[in-house]
Amino acid sequence: MTVLAGIGFTAPWVLLGLLTLPILWLILRAVPPAPIRRLFPAVTLLLGLKDDESVSDRTPWWLLLLRMLAAAAIIIGLAGPVLNPSRDETGTGPLLLVLDASWAGATRWSSTLDQIDVQLTEAGRAGRTVAILSLTAPETPVFQAAEAWRGRLPGLTPTPWQPTETQIEQSLAALNQLDGGFDTHWFSDRLAYEGQDRVLSELQARGAVIVYQSAAPVVAILPAAYQDGVIQLTAQRAEPGPAESLTLLAQGRDPAGAMRVLQSAEMEFPSGETQAQVDLALPSELRARITRFEIQGERSAGAVTLTDDSLRRREVALIAGTLNREGLELLSPLHYLTQVLSPTADFVEGGLLEVLPANPDVIVLADVAKLSEGEQAALIEWVEQGGLLLRFAGPRMAASDLGRDAEDTLLPVRLRSGGRSVGGAMSWGEAKGLAPFPENSPFYGLRVPGDVTVTTQVMAQPDPNLADRVIASLSDGTPLVTRKTLGLGQVVLFHVTADAEWSSLPLSGLFVEMLDRLAVASAAKSREDAQLQGTTWEPIQVMDGFGTLSDAGNLAGVDGVELVSGTIGPELQPGLYESGKQKLALNVLSNEMVLNPVVWPSDVPIKGQEVSNETPIGGILLSLALLLLTIDVIASLALSGRLGLAKAAAVALGTVMLVPEAQAQTPEETDFALNATKELVLAHVLTGNAQVDDVARAGMRGLAQVLFYRTSVEPAEPIGVDLERDELAFFPLLYWPITPDQPQPSIEAYAKLNTYLRSGGMILFDTRDADVARFGASSPNGRKLQQLAAPLNIPALEPVPRDHVLTRAFYLLQDFPGRYAGTEVWVEAAPLDAEQIEGMPFRNLNDNVTPVVIGGNDWASAWAVDRNGQALLPVGRGYAGERQRELANRFGVNLVMHVLTGNYKSDQVHVPALLDRLGQ
């Protein structure tokens, strides 16, 4: 493209035609206008006379100027003028576009594609062939016409990994297969990686290399860590810079199951630093709901960190050696454990061999001294697979010989016979307090209250490994809590009872914090290669370059050691992995990873990815030329006397007015059409009553959420429809709540409604009066419905028969309640010749969708939810009310399935005929 005076020209050689304008001026100036014809009887006297000299008048200057302007507009328009043209040097020969295509460029991926599109446009104008090489998914480049690549741009997506060593080797091998030289435009993600210099050297050996990269720095987040009772989160940027604030979002499901932001926090990068940190102190129940943390405004896999078992709600089995004494609840050994764990855990009930198949996260044995051989073998296997066995001492354990002579597999230390009593009525000493927790203890950092004392405990034998296994002790140094690792799991022993008989620990808040630390430690402990040896982890969900999770499909399982020490790539994708009941989140960044910015050699030019929007104006200039030529014709006719000045003005005005006006949509109509067609949209008719319209919108939102979570239908945000203004064809279903005072639609609106019904749309009329009236005109809403429906082309109706498709389109239903229940629901009547085929439970009904459904159960109120997914209005009372709401949701699902699929389930009546044909 040639740029002249700030305007680009795709065919600049056409501008040479401007040189002919002076010649054209002289030619046109020499041609006189046509003579004016006048009727003059005496002209007969001049017949036969000859004039030896003829003098021609000249064309008016303004007409010549008009013609010159038209010719110039045509020449410039054909030269392909472009406003705001790209200033890049086009070059010649083949062009290779190299893409890092990693997660680091995902946030600005749309800008990358826009820049690639500009490069393809420039290459197409210059006649250059183009090939594209993605370093994260390398294939042998094939040089093709630039236009052939344009349709493939949507298929280019970033991956959640950077180019691996294997992919670099594959890319170099692909480049070696290319013959000849070529120029390269490299779209960098601003991060350095191994092998980048080798690829650059190979490309520079083939031709010129230009790098395009965004000026925005790369930001990512490291995996979440739970320490000292808080969630520690660290963000990292590739380059130091000025102080910068980020917003971190903690996302998870609320009690209703809807995904939402549960917590947000501000992080700040100090000036000149590359790391920012924030600690989140959250309640255990809220912490267990979090599924991911992400940086607001960043749309990349690196800006997301997934959570696994470390933050989720635990499953705990509680087993006691003795039952409650005389039913006294406070004397139960499990009472305090139940109170402490119930906010953060789900309990698995039953005996030991009954709960082990359920694979709980934690098993608590309170004063259980003896286990059968089968129980002990099964329990050992469970712990070795990653379980936490939490044991408490008691009179039974103290009186037994458990762990006396040799260390028991299910005890962290050997025990002395009997027990130790201090501070009791029969002892000379005082009750002992707790010593501060050591740094290697999971309890480190917890404050030790002075009122927590121990009067009785079981003692540990002084073995060589005792010191390494003590994680809490009394003030005199005797062990209070010991722990050891067994396979992938742990065994923890409290040397006191789980109730308040031997100590006041279960009565204190410290007990809650200690159990919370142990529960987190059981799942969040670092997984070492030796512990994962021989395990296989199946991928459940994998993450793409934008940080979006999707089903893992048929991806193969990953060896445990490879999972924690391997390099993320096509064979080891980030996401959620599962082994047994354990889940592990594999994130893009590890705790040891550091983002390093790429440093390009001085001889490599670097350009930004800012794209200037080019505006072709050739069509405008050609249209202007046509307008000028039209004016020239009219002026020529006027000067020749064939058209008076008044007529010429009228013709010119008529020409302008006769140009058909494009029926362009207004911006509001365009936005409405785009919002209504980007996804399936449920709509409701606006009644003019703000309260009713708000409930209707909330009801459509609630029904959309139910469809999203239970079916393959994924509706967008519902839309309120104005019957007078809006197009109805976009919506498969209209919910029309009836109010006594809503206006009657116009004739044009009724024409649209009848067209909508004839073309397959459905209207759900809801009089919302089932609590006071039956279907009909016995209420103001019912009478208004009769007035509104009279001009509509509605077929004969009947109450929903028991074999109608609405009763089985998705759920099996016989009642269709909303906020109210009990009234009949009316649909299009079945044809008179509908017959039931032998052996089938329903008739051979027509294949059409009923155009209307009429009732009064106020379905929108039962469906309605707020922005957080919580029910907006009450339905009935207690469990019965929630059951009624559930049936209302099921009716809504059946209704949408019916309008989308028709009576397809009635096709089962043809099964005998089909089988008979197959038999032939």
Side-chain angles (χ1 to χ4, degrees), residues 200-509:
L200 178 61
S201 299
E202 178 65 25
L203 294 175
Q204 287 182 314
R206 300 298 190 96
V209 177
I210 300 177
V211 172
Y212 291 84
Q213 63 183 23
S214 172
V218 178
V219 181
I221 183 172
L222 301 182
Y226 185 81
Q227 293 183 0
D228 299 332
V230 296
I231 303 174
Q232 297 179 350
L233 295 160
T234 302
Q236 191 177 128
R237 59 182 177 181
E239 304 173 57
E244 180 183 5
S245 295
L246 299 176
T247 300
L248 191 70
L249 304 179
Q251 295 189 347
R253 297 196 180 277
D254 61 14
M259 184 66 71
R260 56 172 297 184
V261 176
L262 302 179
Q263 185 74 9
S264 63
E266 294 295 325
M267 307 179 72
E268 183 169 354
F269 287 102
S271 178
E273 298 293 332
T274 59
Q275 284 195 347
Q277 293 184 344
V278 67
D279 293 340
L280 290 179
L282 302 177
S284 301
E285 186 171 3
L286 182 60
R287 187 180 70 236
R289 294 184 179 276
I290 296 176
T291 58
R292 59 191 280 159
F293 295 95
E294 64 180 48
I295 300 175
Q296 188 177 35
E298 294 289 328
R299 186 168 173 256
S300 76
V304 174
T305 181
L306 303 176
T307 63
D308 46 27
D309 290 344
S310 60
L311 301 180
R312 73 172 178 84
R313 193 175 178 90
R314 298 288 182 267
E315 290 183 352
V316 180
L318 301 179
I319 300 174
T322 58
L323 300 177
N324 297 354
R325 288 179 289 183
E326 299 179 358
L328 298 178
E329 185 177 4
L330 294 180
L331 298 180
S332 169
L334 301 180
H335 169 72
Y336 297 99
L337 289 171
T338 303
Q339 297 299 313
V340 170
L341 297 175
S342 58
T344 60
D346 295 323
F347 296 114
V348 181
E349 299 180 352
L352 183 57
L353 294 180
E354 294 173 344
V355 302
L356 283 174
N359 197 15
D361 299 295
V362 181
I363 293 180
V364 179
L365 301 182
D367 195 20
V368 176
K370 294 294 184 180
L371 296 173
S372 67
E373 292 185 3
E375 289 176 330
Q376 183 159 353
L379 189 56
I380 292 174
E381 181 182 0
W382 172 83
V383 174
E384 289 177 340
Q385 292 179 355
L388 169 64
L389 175 61
L390 182 60
R391 305 192 68 166
F392 287 86
R396 287 172 174 256
M397 182 177 289
S400 70
D401 58 356
L402 182 66
R404 298 292 187 262
D405 300 328
E407 180 181 321
D408 190 276
T409 307
L410 295 176
L411 283 177
V413 294
R414 291 194 304 132
L415 301 178
R416 293 184 181 181
S417 60
R420 178 196 185 198
S421 179
V422 292
M426 301 299 293
S427 65
W428 294 98
E430 295 182 355
K432 301 297 182 181
L434 274 64
F437 301 113
E439 293 186 3
N440 63 345
S441 169
F443 310 135
Y444 178 72
L446 296 180
R447 188 183 67 85
V448 178
D451 57 350
V452 175
T453 58
V454 175
T455 58
T456 306
Q457 67 178 135
V458 293
M459 299 292 291
Q461 291 279 14
D463 292 334
N465 56 7
L466 177 61
D468 296 332
R469 297 183 179 183
V470 175
I471 57 177
S473 58
L474 298 181
S475 56
D476 62 357
T478 55
L480 175 65
V481 184
T482 53
R483 177 181 66 175
K484 78 171 183 180
T485 299
L486 182 60
L488 295 177
Q490 297 180 81
V491 179
V492 179
L493 172 63
F494 277 74
H495 291 239
V496 294
T497 57
D499 56 18
E501 186 174 357
W502 284 12
S503 73
S504 61
L505 178 62
L507 302 177
S508 68

Side-chain angles (χ1 to χ4, degrees), residues 87-284:
R87 302 281 182 166
D88 292 339
E89 298 180 3
T90 303
T92 58
L95 175 64
L96 177 65
L97 303 181
V98 176
L99 286 71
D100 281 347
S102 71
W103 61 266
T107 300
R108 288 157 288 277
W109 189 248
S110 59
S111 300
T112 301
L113 292 183
D114 291 341
Q115 182 64 45
I116 293 176
D117 185 70
V118 170
Q119 298 291 331
L120 293 177
T121 301
E122 291 293 328
R125 290 170 181 166
R128 308 181 71 180
T129 57
V130 179
I132 296 180
L133 173 63
S134 174
L135 296 180
T136 52
E139 295 180 354
T140 302
V142 179
F143 288 96
Q144 297 177 330
E147 194 62 31
W149 285 102
R150 196 180 302 277
R152 307 181 196 177
L153 291 185
L156 297 176
T157 56
T159 62
W161 56 80
Q162 289 186 279
T164 63
E165 182 178 353
T166 301
Q167 291 171 334
I168 292 296
E169 296 295 338
Q170 293 174 349
S171 300
L172 293 173
L175 292 175
N176 290 330
Q177 295 181 19
L178 300 179
D179 297 328
F182 50 82
D183 292 338
T184 301
H185 290 178
W186 190 330
F187 292 86
S188 169
D189 293 338
R190 295 184 62 92
L191 291 185
Y193 47 85
E194 292 293 332
Q196 196 173 44
D197 53 343
R198 297 169 57 197
V199 176
L200 178 61
S201 299
E202 178 65 25
L203 294 175
Q204 287 182 314
R206 300 298 190 96
V209 177
I210 300 177
V211 172
Y212 291 84
Q213 63 183 23
S214 172
V218 178
V219 181
I221 183 172
L222 301 182
Y226 185 81
Q227 293 183 0
D228 299 332
V230 296
I231 303 174
Q232 297 179 350
L233 295 160
T234 302
Q236 191 177 128
R237 59 182 177 181
E239 304 173 57
E244 180 183 5
S245 295
L246 299 176
T247 300
L248 191 70
L249 304 179
Q251 295 189 347
R253 297 196 180 277
D254 61 14
M259 184 66 71
R260 56 172 297 184
V261 176
L262 302 179
Q263 185 74 9
S264 63
E266 294 295 325
M267 307 179 72
E268 183 169 354
F269 287 102
S271 178
E273 298 293 332
T274 59
Q275 284 195 347
Q277 293 184 344
V278 67
D279 293 340
L280 290 179
L282 302 177
S284 301

